[in-house]
Amino acid sequence: MLKKRTAVFLVIAAMLCGGLLTMALTQLPAPSQTGDGGEGLLASIANRNGLEQSEAKKLGTAIDLIESNYYKDIDRSKLIDGAINGMMEALEDPYSNYMGKETAAQFEESIEGSFTGIGAEVSSVEGSVVVVSPIKGSPADKAGIRAKDTILSVNGESLQGLELNAAVNKIRGPKGSKAVLQIKRAGSEQPIEYVIVRDDVDLETVSARMEKGGIGVIEISQFSLNTGERFKEELKKLESQGMKGLLIDVRNNPGGVLSVVIDIAEQFVPKGELIVQVEDKDKKREKHPSNGVAKSYPITVLMNKGSASASEILAGALQQSAGATLMGEHSFGKGTVQTSFDKQFGDGSLLKVTIAKWLTPNGTWIHEKGIEPDIKVSQPEYFTVAPIDKKKTYAYDTNSTDVKNAQIMLEAVGYAAGRTDGYFDRNTEKAVKSFQSKHKLKADGIINSATAEALEAALIEKIQDPKEDNQMNRGIAEVRKEIAAKASNK
């Protein structure tokens, strides 16, 4: 059972339905004695006496005026929580937030074991709920939710302007219940609707396998407290099987505990080389050099725009200090560190605050910029096609974005219409009829809700086929190429 402490709160945030992307400061290895870390980052967290007398008087006066004059009875605790939420919102930092007693209690329940939800990491950006990353294999991931999507509403209730915890509570729900999400996505003119059935989200963070030619593949879905040990176990197994090269997959990995990613990076970064630097508001830096030993085999890291925080630390460290190749897409771009204060209030609530920024070994701050891969590889267009609006029907001589999406899906599953521009011509009609006949639907050439659902189901099945994972296949090919190059140089 996981201990209920700050580090746990921070890492499990990366695994909750709507938990905040967080990187734990606690449990860091000792900083370099030769670095310019000063008294240490934790020592730089101010321990002030709270409000000045005039400030306390102003807040007290506001509460008194409300209690005395508001037209109905009020819950004083809600006013206090609202005041704290207002302070956090004033920071304009999507990664700093306050959790009241009820929300914090739900947080702890999730820490104790598996949790139920849609499995998407979100943050608050200018009053909007934005997806950081769907957790791999979660309902959100399978449905097609993508990093940078903005969730406009859940089951008809708008999330715009809501405090993040309130928005998260609307997204969460019991297993088997439906969450109808309205999504705003860059490049789509109209909101996209997703119907997601909430389910248990797997907390297993590491999986590994051996591909032909001695190529090991390790996938990390998040950096949890047990991820470091699990990674070591899987790496040891692969090496014992004669692994000649390694592909580390951190796509759609939203982050986790800083000490864990340092521990993993240390297994590849040579002793003395930097893994990461952490800088506080006074510009004091703690440098974290490796105590490990470099590997003799080539390493490639696979990432995408859902790779954030600790994933980016690993990518930056292995690229700059271990000679690894980065492949895939531009990463998310989260370069800050948070810690949470869960004891100070004494009532079960907690405050999570951004206290520092982290830098790559060469001193680059990737916040809101991300990391560019050495080799850019995108997935096929059909991996990111939007769902079809099932409230409408589409037939010959219509023209819309939904028709375009349907044409992309048809082509992906083997019923090419010969065009993907959104115009429903006779060839599109013929392709629809062929698809309908194959799937035992009325072959009238009209895309109604039943045809749209069958088409989307066929597409999801195709996407889940490992042979269709262009990034993974290219990553394995790159490792194979580097193994061959290494052998020829001997």
Side-chain angles (χ1 to χ4, degrees):
M1 182 175 290
L2 299 176
K3 294 182 180 179
K4 302 175 185 177
R5 56 180 176 176
T6 300
V8 182
F9 277 108
L10 293 171
V11 65
I12 299 298
M15 297 186 283
L16 292 179
C17 160
L20 293 178
L21 179 67
T22 309
M23 184 149 55
L25 173 67
T26 55
Q27 297 187 352
L28 283 176
S32 169
Q33 298 302 312
T34 60
D36 53 353
E39 296 179 341
L41 188 57
L42 285 174
S44 70
I45 302 175
N47 184 18
R48 305 182 189 278
N49 294 321
L51 297 171
E52 299 290 344
Q53 185 174 356
S54 59
E55 295 169 335
K57 181 180 179 181
K58 185 173 182 178
L59 287 177
T61 299
I63 291 175
D64 184 47
L65 289 171
I66 293 169
E67 288 187 317
S68 300
N69 297 285
Y70 193 59
Y71 79 103
K72 61 181 180 180
D73 291 339
I74 55 98
D75 184 339
R76 189 180 178 92
S77 64
K78 287 186 177 179
L79 291 181
I80 300 299
D81 283 355
I84 300 174
N85 276 320
M87 293 180 200
M88 303 312 291
E89 290 173 6
L91 296 176
E92 297 182 346
D93 175 13
Y95 307 112
S96 295
N97 79 309
Y98 169 71
M99 295 185 191
K101 182 177 180 179
E102 183 178 345
T103 303
Q106 293 173 348
F107 201 29
E108 287 197 56
E109 289 172 6
S110 299
I111 291 169
E112 293 301 318
S114 63
F115 66 94
T116 300
I118 67 169
E121 173 109 22
V122 300
S123 66
S124 178
V125 179
E126 296 179 352
S128 297
V129 178
V130 178
V131 175
V132 174
S133 177
I135 295 173
K136 186 171 182 178
S138 69
D141 181 37
K142 293 176 181 177
I145 298 296
R146 293 162 53 185
K148 307 287 187 180
D149 280 350
T150 298
I151 305 177
L152 301 176
S153 66
V154 179
N155 295 333
E157 296 186 61
S158 174
L159 302 187
Q160 190 65 32
L162 284 184
E163 185 270 322
L164 187 60
N165 291 322
V168 167
N169 285 336
K170 291 185 182 296
I171 298 171
R172 296 181 65 178
K175 180 178 179 179
S177 62
K178 289 184 179 180
V180 181
L181 306 186
Q182 289 289 328
I183 297 291
K184 179 181 179 182
R185 178 176 295 167
S188 295
E189 297 176 4
Q190 300 296 325
I192 306 166
E193 181 176 285
Y194 286 91
V195 180
I196 302 176
V197 179
R198 300 178 178 99
D199 201 352
D200 293 332
V201 178
D202 187 7
L203 295 183
E204 177 58 68
T205 62
V206 179
S207 62
R209 66 183 186 276
M210 184 74 84
E211 294 285 338
K212 292 181 181 179
I215 300 171
V217 177
I218 300 181
E219 300 177 12
I220 311 173
S221 60
Q222 57 246 339
F223 293 90
S224 180
L225 288 178
N226 69 341
T227 302
E229 287 304 314
R230 286 285 299 114
F231 185 90
K232 287 179 182 178
E233 291 172 5
E234 297 298 341
L235 181 63
K236 186 176 180 180
K237 288 180 185 177
L238 291 172
E239 290 178 335
S240 69
Q241 296 171 31
M243 182 174 67
K244 299 177 181 178
L246 177 63
L247 180 66
I248 302 175
D249 184 1
V250 292
R251 291 175 298 172
N252 292 330
N253 180 325
V257 177
L258 180 55
S259 61
V260 171
V261 71
I262 289 176
D263 185 39
I264 291 174
E266 200 163 41
Q267 297 173 66
F268 305 101
V269 175
K271 184 177 178 65
E273 295 294 322
L274 285 182
I275 293 173
V276 67
Q277 305 180 63
V278 181
E279 181 178 287
D280 68 11
K281 65 180 181 181
D282 296 322
K283 306 299 182 183
K284 293 179 180 178
R285 291 188 187 180
E286 287 186 355
K287 297 182 177 181
H288 297 277
S290 174
N291 289 313
V293 179
K295 300 293 185 180
S296 59
Y297 48 76
I299 302 165
T300 293
V301 179
L302 202 57
M303 63 184 193
N304 63 8
K305 59 186 176 183
S307 303
S309 194
S311 295
E312 293 171 296
I313 288 182
L314 183 65
L318 297 193
Q319 180 194 49
Q320 296 178 13
S321 297
T325 300
L326 303 187
M327 178 177 280
E329 300 167 348
H330 190 87
S331 67
F332 182 84
K334 182 197 178 273
T336 56
V337 181
Q338 286 72 41
T339 192
S340 68
F341 303 92
D342 59 322
K343 306 298 183 186
Q344 287 80 354
F345 291 119
D347 63 353
S349 58
L350 66 88
L351 198 70
K352 184 163 71 66
V353 183
T354 297
I355 60 168
K357 61 184 181 182
W358 66 265
L359 312 172
T360 63
N362 68 9
T364 301
W365 192 34
I366 60 91
H367 196 59
E368 298 182 349
K369 300 173 186 175
I371 299 175
E372 286 289 340
D374 298 307
I375 303 173
K376 293 184 179 180
V377 181
S378 299
Q379 297 287 42
E381 184 180 14
Y382 57 80
F383 266 65
T384 55
V385 66
I388 301 165
D389 186 349
K390 299 170 190 63
K391 296 185 178 72
K392 302 177 182 178
T393 58
Y394 310 90
Y396 172 70
D397 203 31
T398 57
N399 196 337
S400 71
T401 301
D402 282 300
V403 172
K404 176 181 179 178
N405 293 336
Q407 289 169 333
I408 293 172
M409 293 181 193
L410 285 165
E411 182 174 335
V413 298
Y415 301 86
R419 65 194 304 161
T420 56
D421 59 0
Y423 176 65
F424 203 126
D425 64 357
R426 290 301 184 190
N427 285 333
T428 301
E429 184 181 62
K430 181 179 178 181
V432 172
K433 286 181 178 180
S434 296
F435 176 84
Q436 290 171 327
S437 295
K438 179 69 174 180
H439 291 80
K440 299 180 180 179
L441 298 167
K442 182 180 179 181
D444 56 8
I446 298 172
I447 302 175
N448 56 16
S449 60
T451 298
E453 288 174 2
L455 191 52
E456 290 173 7
L459 181 67
I460 290 172
E461 184 177 351
K462 182 178 180 67
I463 289 173
Q464 291 175 342
D465 185 346
K467 295 193 298 257
E468 302 299 320
D469 191 341
N470 189 38
Q471 292 173 335
M472 176 62 71
N473 294 333
R474 285 285 302 276
I476 291 172
E478 175 63 23
V479 177
R480 186 173 288 118
K481 175 183 173 183
E482 292 185 22
I483 292 172
K486 183 178 178 66
S488 66
N489 290 332
K490 287 184 178 180

